Amino acid sequence: MTQLSVKHLLGIKDLTEQDIKLIFETADNFKTIINRPIKKVPSLRDITVANLFFENSTRTRVSFELAQKRLSADIVNFSSSSSSVSKGETLIDTVKNILSMKVDMVVMRHPSPGASIFLSKHIDATIINAGDGTHEHPTQALLDAYSIKESLGEVAGKKVVIVGDILHSRVALSNIYCLQKLGAEIMVCGPSTLIPKYIEQLGVKVEHNLRKALEWCDVANMLRIQMERQDIKYFPSLREYSMQYGLTLPMLESIGKDITIMHPGPINRGVEITSEVADSDYSIILNQVENGVAIRMACMFLLASNQNS
Ligand code: CP
């Protein structure tokens, strides 16, 4: 298979296992290229991409922009804080105005779940979801699964626990879809207030005890508590959360096996993970960030190829 089955990348839910494997094979090639002295290829030379960020981002935004530059695309960057959105312009009007300047592809982060799906029904350009509220973050899940494969050789059969604020996490949902499609077993771990009530219906295990979760897993993906999405208190204090669910080096070493530690960032050091763990040999956090560029190059290259076919 040389083509994706989708026109847009709105969520992992829409992708097939073959799509994900094609993205990984394409990313392997781009990873080789971006480690060469000459890192640039002309693959997207005639493509203009608009990066529309209606919510803050460091990694995703820089990674997409770098991926676009490596592929020789033309880029326009938009952030809602410095735009006419603050004067009351709607999402569709904002995007239609940008697209009328002949943009082929839109990378969008938005605080509302489903924002990219909504947009894909109203405009012709290819849309890539760079995180829509608490819904999905497909390129993060792809780079996470790719990093597990790179680190452990295979995703199929691996046991992955996702720890923390599952309720508000788009990374958790996209990871569950992606890793399951590739044959991994998934567990979520956290306080009951931060685990969605019916999550077992997605075929994941639920565990409230961090030690038991670590004893079960090969990989632990530690998530940030998303205070910005919490309008009520889900636990007494960050200190108490950290005592129950914060990953420390003594705890990790007491399990007595190699566990691969991941984090999508941004990290709250000392809350969900200590610096000792984040910076240890168990951690592949910076490998995840590095792989993000190759994965995003692969996604944009394959989606642009679909546009031309
Ligand atoms: N992982 C991630 O989405 O980070 P940013 O919010 O910094 O883009």
Side-chain angles (χ1 to χ4, degrees), residues 174-216:
S174 288
N175 261 269
I176 291 169
Y177 288 142
C178 189
L179 294 169
Q180 282 182 337
K181 282 174 200 258
L182 296 173
E185 275 186 77
I186 313 297
M187 175 186 279
V188 292
C189 176
S192 52
T193 49
L194 290 178
I195 305 279
K197 229 177 186 170
Y198 301 108
I199 197 156
E200 277 145 321
Q201 292 181 3
L202 292 179
V204 304
K205 297 178 195 302
V206 176
E207 175 58 67
H208 299 296
N209 181 298
L210 179 60
R211 170 168 287 279
K212 285 187 184 163
L214 292 172
E215 284 167 355
W216 174 85

Side-chain angles (χ1 to χ4, degrees), residues 72-83:
S72 309
D74 291 321
I75 308 170
V76 281
N77 288 317
F78 163 97
S79 83
S80 56
S81 55
S82 57
S83 74

